[in-house]
Amino acid sequence: MAFHLLQHDRHAALQIARALEHAVSSIKHCDLCNTLTEQDICRTCSNAQRDRSKLCVVETPADQAALERTLAYRGLYFVLMGKLSPLDGIGPHDIGLQKLFDRVVPKDDAGLLMPVESREVQEVILATNFTAEGEATAHVISQALKSRGVQVTRLARGVPVGSELEYVDLGTIAHALVDRR
Amino acid sequence: MAFHLLQHDRHAALQIARALEHAVSSIKHCDLCNTLTEQDICRTCSNAQRDRSKLCVVETPADQAALERTLAYRGLYFVLMGKLSPLDGIGPHDIGLQKLFDRVVPKDDAGLLMPVESREVQEVILATNFTAEGEATAHVISQALKSRGVQVTRLARGVPVGSELEYVDLGTIAHALVDRR
């Protein structure tokens, strides 16, 4: 890319440079969901049309974008901006799980955990990746939230749409069998 | 393959030829499940260790082999040896659905359909491919069997094990959301 720009399109190179500069100075994290945005609160979080009782937990803004493209989800998001990875020394504190817990199970004025019926978030949908780290992250969040009475669900694991069994990996088929509906 | 055999390994070519000849003359379809076998009844169907109350419906022996490799299924199989494909003129009669129905919902001596509790097969697991034809086949079988009181399940559809959401197709994510557990 660098070679192409320097040889054929120096004007575009300057444009990209300025766009990057602008992005670095103006794009920050949403106060509510952590995703990348130019506002204090991102457009999704401030959209009154969204279902505020559902909170979908994803690892990155790219994952959030993938879910948004499906047009199948009308709730809000919480972007972890990472995943648990003990081998790399990344623990629950590094990915801000506490912020998620405080959001889902807020404290009242007396400093006590709010009872289930008066909480805004009624269901947390775990949409972390189906990799080892993503599964571990989902497990930790699920354990913590379930112990506080939150309904926690996980994206279905199974055979992808359009695929032929013969070419699907064994782990996926085994899961699809166990999770049959 | 032909070039390699003729140039480097004519002996192997003869072996393959004889193996193919032997296969063609000795391999037939299992009387019970339709899969390829050298016996009248295949090894899976005649294995007394298998759970005879579960019947898994697959399109081909290759799909059956994929499920067997997971070691996650201990029931029996029914191999359709094809799938519905109206565009190619392949309807329910061409893939022997009647044989499946007669097996799952047998008639008693008086020619009446057996009641649910005295049937051998208690659950039919549809494991046809997640392609358009496979889904159509599953739908037709499901409708027919459910109307006769059979419990019918389908392999879970969802995000494959080990995959990152960002790279999964939209249809699969949408399904995984709807089928969340």
Side-chain angles (χ1 to χ4, degrees), chain B residues 26-170:
Chain B
S26 67
I27 291 186
K28 47 197 172 180
H29 293 282
C30 169
D31 284 348
L32 279 174
C33 77
N34 284 342
T35 199
L36 298 171
T37 174
E38 293 193 32
Q39 287 92 41
D40 286 337
I41 306 286
C42 74
R43 261 194 236 169
T44 312
C45 286
S46 52
N47 182 345
Q49 307 286 312
R50 313 277 310 202
D51 177 356
R52 308 193 87 76
S53 69
K54 289 191 173 58
L55 190 70
C56 182
V57 177
V58 295
E59 291 177 17
T60 65
D63 295 335
Q64 180 189 12
L67 279 157
E68 279 295 282
R69 279 197 298 273
T70 68
L71 303 177
Y73 180 66
R74 298 299 302 156
L76 296 182
Y77 292 91
F78 188 90
V79 185
L80 292 173
M81 286 293 170
K83 56 201 162 195
L84 294 183
S85 184
L87 290 182
D88 303 320
I90 300 177
H93 292 289
D94 301 297
I95 60 171
L97 286 189
Q98 194 55 49
K99 182 171 170 185
L100 170 64
F101 298 155
D102 289 344
R103 163 113 180 245
V104 176
V105 191
K107 291 185 175 140
D108 60 16
D109 299 339
L112 295 169
L113 294 184
M114 267 200 203
V116 176
E117 58 279 6
S118 50
R119 291 176 196 160
E120 186 175 63
V121 178
Q122 290 297 319
E123 178 185 358
V124 170
I125 301 164
L126 298 176
T128 53
N129 288 325
F130 286 81
T131 55
E133 291 94 349
E135 293 278 21
T137 309
H139 181 76
V140 167
I141 298 176
S142 165
Q143 293 293 312
L145 289 181
K146 275 183 186 160
S147 69
R148 289 163 211 185
V150 181
Q151 189 196 355
V152 181
T153 57
R154 178 88 169 106
L155 286 197
R157 210 179 346 216
V159 181
V161 172
S163 63
E164 311 201 9
L165 281 190
E166 196 182 338
Y167 307 110
V168 173
D169 66 293
L170 301 187

Side-chain angles (χ1 to χ4, degrees), chain A residues 120-161:
Chain A
E120 187 175 64
V121 178
Q122 291 296 320
E123 178 184 358
V124 171
I125 301 164
L126 298 175
T128 54
N129 288 325
F130 286 81
T131 55
E133 291 95 349
E135 294 277 21
T137 310
H139 180 76
V140 167
I141 298 175
S142 165
Q143 293 292 312
L145 290 180
K146 276 185 187 158
S147 69
R148 288 162 211 184
V150 182
Q151 190 197 354
V152 182
T153 56
R154 178 88 169 110
L155 286 197
R157 213 181 339 217
V159 182
V161 172

